[in-house]
Amino acid sequence: MSDRTAVVVPLRPAEWDWDWGSATAGSLALDPAELWVEPPPRRQKGGTVPRMPAPSRQAAAARGRRKRARTANPRHRTRRLVALTVVAGALLGTLFVTAFGQSATRQTSQALPGPSSRLLPVGPPTPLTVALHSGLRIQLPVAQSRVTAIGYHSSDDGVLPLTPLGHQGNEGVLSRLAHKIFGGGRGGFVYYQLSGGETAVLDVGATPGTDVYAPVDGTIVGISDYILNGKTYGSRIDIQPSAAPSLVVSLTHLTPDPALTVGSAIAASTTKVGRVVDLSGVERQALARYTQDAGNHVSIELRPAATLTLP
């Protein structure tokens, strides 16, 4: 076997086998410390990744969290309370103005006819029932154009209560509001509660000298002086009603008609029984608060016939 000199051909290193010590090769390669190592995926129990909620559910959940945050905020609750209070106040104010603002004007025009109408001569009143007691009807004793106001007050002299018709012009706020909402209490004329909270005595306002007519059908059973502070001011006229013989209707604050005598038969709204007298100088008349004058009037009372006494 002959000796031959072997020629060794160097093999090129693999493409990935970089020389980290070479300046040229190292400048083109990453530092081994910077190589990214992919972390292994995290597994949930059961081996599956939890499902993400749909975008719409995420938005709804976010809105719910924001809403709960606003509700829990004390400042937000305070602002809402103030806003609701302002709105409720405005609604109540509008309701009160609607209920009471316009009705007051109508009451004045109904209860107080113009002064010029009271200067014209008039005849008997048109029949109009203003009060009731059981089956007895009390008719308006003065012509409608001469009436200044109608009022009721209490009495401690055994007087029987009357049931007013029409509607009360000075009723309480709650009553007026209830009538405005639910109806009722709206008659064709206005009356006023003067004192005591009772409706025992009926006062029909009119200027002095106004003719007064019988408020019921019946018979005159008494004509006597009306005494006030020890002095005589007009008369008291007692009538036994045909519809209720066990009762007596008494009229005061008037002078009797000269043609009237005890035993005379009278007809409601037809027979003249007297004229209104002026008592403004001797007593403070409560009806004056609702009239344009001193509040002169004719008074009507109802008593049992057995208790009738002369003054």
Side-chain angles (χ1 to χ4, degrees), residues 3-223:
D3 282 335
R4 293 184 180 180
T5 304
V7 180
V8 179
V9 179
L11 296 178
R12 185 177 178 182
E15 294 180 355
W16 50 269
D17 190 11
W18 298 95
D19 183 6
W20 301 102
S22 172
T24 301
S27 63
L28 299 177
L30 295 175
D31 189 345
E34 296 180 354
L35 292 179
W36 172 260
V37 179
E38 184 71 20
R42 299 179 63 181
R43 296 281 180 175
Q44 299 290 333
K45 292 183 179 180
T48 57
V49 178
R51 193 174 183 180
M52 297 296 291
S56 59
R57 295 182 180 179
Q58 290 180 347
R63 287 195 298 269
R65 288 193 296 271
R66 289 195 297 269
K67 184 176 180 180
R68 288 192 296 269
R70 289 196 303 269
T71 305
N73 189 346
R75 294 184 179 179
H76 180 74
R77 290 200 302 268
T78 302
R79 288 196 296 268
R80 289 186 60 187
L81 181 60
V82 171
L84 291 175
T85 302
V86 171
V87 173
L91 292 176
L92 286 177
T94 303
L95 181 60
F96 276 110
V97 170
T98 303
F100 311 130
Q102 297 177 354
S103 62
T105 303
R106 292 197 300 269
Q107 292 169 6
T108 301
S109 62
Q110 290 179 354
L112 302 177
S116 60
S117 66
R118 296 200 295 269
L119 298 177
L120 299 176
V122 295
T126 302
L128 175 64
T129 302
V130 293
L132 301 172
H133 180 83
S134 299
L136 180 63
R137 295 176 174 269
I138 305 297
Q139 304 290 326
L140 186 69
V142 175
Q144 282 86 343
S145 62
R146 295 295 181 92
V147 176
T148 58
I150 297 175
Y152 291 85
H153 59 87
S154 60
S155 174
D156 54 359
D157 195 19
V159 178
L160 299 176
L162 298 171
T163 301
L165 299 182
H167 65 278
Q168 184 177 340
N170 59 342
E171 64 183 348
V173 174
L174 294 179
S175 298
R176 296 179 66 178
L177 182 59
H179 290 155
K180 188 69 177 180
I181 296 175
F182 302 107
R186 300 283 96 184
F189 58 92
V190 180
Y191 70 88
Y192 299 96
Q193 185 65 54
L194 302 180
S195 64
E198 298 178 1
T199 55
V201 182
L202 167 61
D203 291 344
V204 179
T207 57
T210 300
D211 292 337
V212 179
Y213 292 82
V216 294
D217 296 332
T219 304
I220 301 296
V221 295
I223 301 176

